[in-house]
Amino acid sequence: MLRYMLAVFIGSCSYGVLSTIVKLAYQAGAKTSVVTVGQFLIGWFILFVCYFFSRRKEKISYQDKGKLMLAGIPTGLVGVFYYLALVKVEASLGIILLFQFVWIGIVLDYLFFKRTPDKGKAMSVMILFVGTLMASGIIHGGLIGADLIGIVYGLLAAVSFSLFIFTNASILPALPPVQRSYYMVTGSTLAVLVIFLPSLMNLNGGDSLLSLGTYGIMLGLFGVVIPPFLFAYGMPKIGATLGSILGSAELPVAVGLSMFVLGERVTVIQWIGVVIIFIGIIFPNLYKRR
């Protein structure tokens, strides 16, 4: 059991590293288009190699391939909006905005499927609201200098992530993980290329290739390759409750790295807010076990 728990924990921490890598890339002069396209292109190539040499492959129709590729588009949009947000806001605030996907997912569930949230989910939304107020710094004026466009991008990333969760849970879940990931990442990569193609055509070739090689490999590994494999390995063994708890490790990792690596100021109140958000995420799963 320990190795499955460790796999999910490491996968979650991998996601938490992304915002810091992106901020370092920006400090080095990399553009959002290069960072985002680099992550998905390199991640796609690694998955292609894994898929090509994989022995577990199922024959699926072109229609199913198309469904998987469409389901992967929200993943690409998460990268686009999240990385655009990080241009405008600090990494510690960016991850707080992204984690609003929890209550946004509950709202989408009601809008699309008319499923009324139970008491556990309703309590979770209230806990998340309080935690977000504290973690974002709004209580002590921490948002006064924050860019409104950056906040909007962060919330759009959260909406995209909620859509990804919906599609990921319902489309061909029994397909081998490598094969499924390959087609979904193909869809997200194509979406990112279409969005950023005009920007890429205006970049300096040498600088772009340097940024692509330096940061694209790290982002591709930590954002596209490592987490899906580790989650596919560990999640079925440990269950949804423990999985959600370990999966929430992304939040403190991202905030901690923004503080210690990037030198961003994170107050005690904001750390308390992070803990409250963590509680809000795991609360519905603990409530179900009663």
Side-chain angles (χ1 to χ4, degrees), residues 4-269:
Y4 300 119
M5 293 170 59
L6 187 62
V8 174
F9 178 75
I10 293 173
S12 180
C13 290
S14 296
Y15 277 136
V17 171
L18 293 179
S19 57
T20 298
I21 296 175
V22 171
K23 278 291 189 180
L24 291 173
Y26 289 162
Q27 290 175 10
K31 303 297 183 181
T32 304
S33 55
V34 176
V35 169
T36 312
V37 171
Q39 171 180 331
F40 282 93
L41 273 180
I42 292 173
W44 175 85
F45 178 75
I46 295 172
L47 281 173
F48 170 76
V49 173
C50 294
Y51 173 64
F52 183 80
F53 289 102
S54 175
R55 294 183 179 181
R56 283 194 63 200
K57 296 177 185 176
E58 292 186 12
K59 189 174 182 179
I60 59 174
S61 65
Y62 286 109
Q63 184 178 9
D64 286 338
K65 293 177 182 178
K67 287 180 180 178
L68 287 170
M69 291 172 67
L70 287 173
I73 291 177
T75 313
L77 295 179
V78 173
V80 171
F81 290 129
Y82 187 42
Y83 294 167
L84 284 172
L86 290 176
V87 175
K88 304 288 186 178
V89 301
E90 293 186 337
S92 54
L93 177 57
I95 191 65
I96 298 298
L97 294 170
L98 179 62
F99 261 71
Q100 302 311 301
F101 77 85
V102 179
W103 67 263
I104 290 174
I106 294 173
V107 173
L108 291 177
D109 199 28
Y110 175 76
L111 292 176
F112 288 108
F113 302 106
K114 303 301 179 184
R115 288 196 283 252
T116 304
D118 56 28
K119 290 182 179 179
K121 289 182 178 179
M123 282 293 296
S124 175
V125 170
M126 289 187 284
I127 294 171
L128 285 166
F129 180 73
V130 174
T132 300
L133 285 177
M134 298 178 69
S136 64
I138 193 173
I139 292 177
H140 51 78
L143 284 183
I144 292 177
D147 191 288
L148 180 59
I149 295 177
I151 293 174
V152 172
Y153 279 142
L155 292 175
L156 286 174
V159 172
S160 301
F161 194 74
S162 299
L163 292 173
F164 164 71
I165 291 174
F166 274 108
T167 56
N168 191 48
S170 58
I171 299 178
L172 301 174
L175 207 64
V178 174
Q179 185 176 9
R180 194 166 183 266
S181 297
Y182 166 71
Y183 285 110
M184 293 185 74
V185 172
T186 298
S188 60
T189 302
L190 289 174
V192 168
L193 283 172
V194 169
I195 292 171
F196 283 124
L197 186 60
S199 300
L200 291 174
M201 295 178 67
N202 295 324
L203 292 175
N204 179 279
D207 294 341
S208 300
L209 287 175
L210 180 61
S211 300
L212 181 67
T214 305
Y215 301 104
I217 293 175
M218 290 188 290
L219 290 170
L221 286 171
F222 287 113
V224 181
V225 179
I226 294 176
F229 277 112
L230 293 180
F231 286 165
Y233 174 74
M235 281 290 191
K237 301 293 183 181
I238 66 175
T241 300
L242 186 55
S244 66
I245 296 172
L246 295 173
S248 302
E250 175 186 352
L251 179 58
V253 168
V255 176
L257 287 175
S258 69
M259 180 178 179
F260 295 112
V261 177
L262 300 176
E264 296 180 0
R265 182 174 177 269
V266 182
T267 66
V268 174
I269 292 178

